Amino acid sequence: MCGIVGYVGRASATGTNVAGDHQALDVLLEGLRRLEYRGYDSAGVAIVADGAIEFRKKSGKLANLVAEIEARPLPDSLTGIGHTRWATHGGPTDANAHPHLADDGRLAVIHNGIIENFATLKAELASKGHTFLSDTDTEVAAVLLGDIYRAIVEADAGTEAQPLSKAMQLASRRLEGAFTLLATHADQPGVVVAARRNSPLVVGLGEHENFLGSDVSGFIDYTRRALELDQDQIVTITPETVEVTDFHGAPAEGREYTVDWDAAAAEKGGYPSFMEKEINDQPEAVAQTLLGRSDSRGRLTLDELRIDPELLKSVNKIIVLACGTSAYAGQVAKYAIEHWCRIPTEVELSHEFRYRDPIVDEQTLIVSISQSGETMDTLMAVRYAREQGAKTVSICNTNGSTIPRESDAVLYTHAGPEIAVASTKAFLAQITAAYLLGLYLAQLRGNLFQGQIKDILADLAKTPAKIARILENSGQIKELARAMADTRSVLFLGRHVGYPVAMEGALKLKELAYIHAEGFAAGELKHGPIALIEEGQPVFVVVPSPRGRDSLHAKVVSNIQEVRARGANTIVIAEEGDDSVAAYAEHVFYIPETSVLLAPLLTTVPLQLFACELATAKGYDVDQPRNLAKSVTVE
Ligand code: M6R
């Protein structure tokens, strides 16, 4: 939700930037371009130039802001902040776009999050004579900050070295809710101050310049050195310094790290969309997630987990917490973890977990799954579980993000940056990482023989090449997708691990193509949803391997017949060599042979390709579907 970027660079004696030829505006627009996946309802920038704040903001995508700046150019500057918005308080209008100004237009503020006590603060500020131009909670924060700043400056007559930092500390203490705030003031060129509570913020460390971003992609073109911040911290950046304090001004330190991917990894690489690139990245995403996590004898070596093995041995229950696609990855993993480790495993949507008085104790292992590592629902659920004494492992794709930072241990997926709002490669990488965790637990607890683990790892190692084969042969599913561009409803059926795959297939179609789609457990159909089937209703069926448990395969084949008998247009994903389905299918897409538990790593891919191609055929933006944002940092 909302992308944020901040920049300060140092001017040389000749007025150019000693760090290079960077202008604040260029850095901000490039950062916003990379962060736009976080929200695209409006965009805006503010810079400090010639002792004043200059700003432009526009509703709609970043392109509208760029056009506005072309029409009304901004002056050169080495200090600025930029924002791309996912609307919460107030609709996506020009007036509600960030930045919001205060202190007679000399202070500019941008914000990600929700200020929960904004109504009380607004009333208080209004009673002091302040007026508001927007419906946003952000403007209330800006006016509060401006009010405090003015009071500091007037009271100490210029002795306070960093009045904006001081004002931000005081203002932050008055705010409730979640916020990353960035502020710049006309009287303090070369300074950007930020506050962070329960909302993402990373510092980018440069030479004679420094950066702020919602995530590292906000400054990846300029530096790969980053500084992680804690909750409730203020950071003040100037071209030469980065100062971190708590909300009371006590000095604090961030953790520096190097980003392990570069700007090229966050580009489309010749594909028409990030989504297509990321679907095609999947062999690499799975391979990278497996890399270096087992030795030549087939022993899992997850040293990075850093949880006492004795503790893991004593676990008597696992709860997987996640949302959306990540929750479907968890549902897939449940089948494998229970089968391999014999530990009861529940999968719970993070936002439901806290509110049902869950039974959690020291012997519960919480496994959170999050691509972004910033999903507020999951973060809050993890915090709650830790308070109850549970141990928490985070499966995450984003180094330095909040959920792994607040967990006892982390198992990173190495899918690389996922830019398209709808998740694809992260899903396969999450399943892979959860399988590694399951096998590791089975190894520790002696549930599987070492030879069994070695065989499963060998099977997993073959998966990237199998995914690549599906991608090479994507022509048939894409052709079908184009032919079905006018379809109004699609159902997806699966059993066992095919069930969450069916739900993920439906989610992709909803998100990308805005088509009504539902995923069902194939066995549940006859309990009601079969009433939806009418002549021509498209139904995807994910068929398990016939080499697995016979009964599972046979039951799904029966389910295909049941819907076909009622007029459904059946589209079947089956394993190569499975001749039994062809007679009941209008279309069959074959995937390479694999074991039942690993099949989701393959069966998901045609469903992703289908949704992406169909949405493209309808002329939709597959990277930035309407109403969505990549990183959901509000509850
Ligand atoms: O970053 P996270 O994995 O925590 O995000 C969870 C969901 O918001 C995310 O998977 C969402 O459902 C995507 N739109 C799926 O494509």
Side-chain angles (χ1 to χ4, degrees), residues 322-327 369-375 378 403 421-424 430 504 507-508 511 628-632:
C323 301
T325 290
S326 300
I369 306 183
S370 174
Q371 187 287 130
S372 62
E374 299 292 351
T375 298
T378 303
I403 297 171
V421 166
S423 187
T424 53
Q430 288 166 343
E504 172 60 7
L507 178 60
K508 286 288 94 75
E511 287 184 295
L628 297 178
K630 182 78 182 156
S631 180
V632 184

Side-chain angles (χ1 to χ4, degrees), residues 534-555:
E534 56 186 11
E535 198 58 39
Q537 168 67 51
V539 180
F540 270 87
V541 188
V542 181
V543 180
S545 167
R547 297 169 305 104
R549 266 183 286 159
D550 266 2
S551 56
L552 193 61
H553 177 265
K555 290 274 179 339

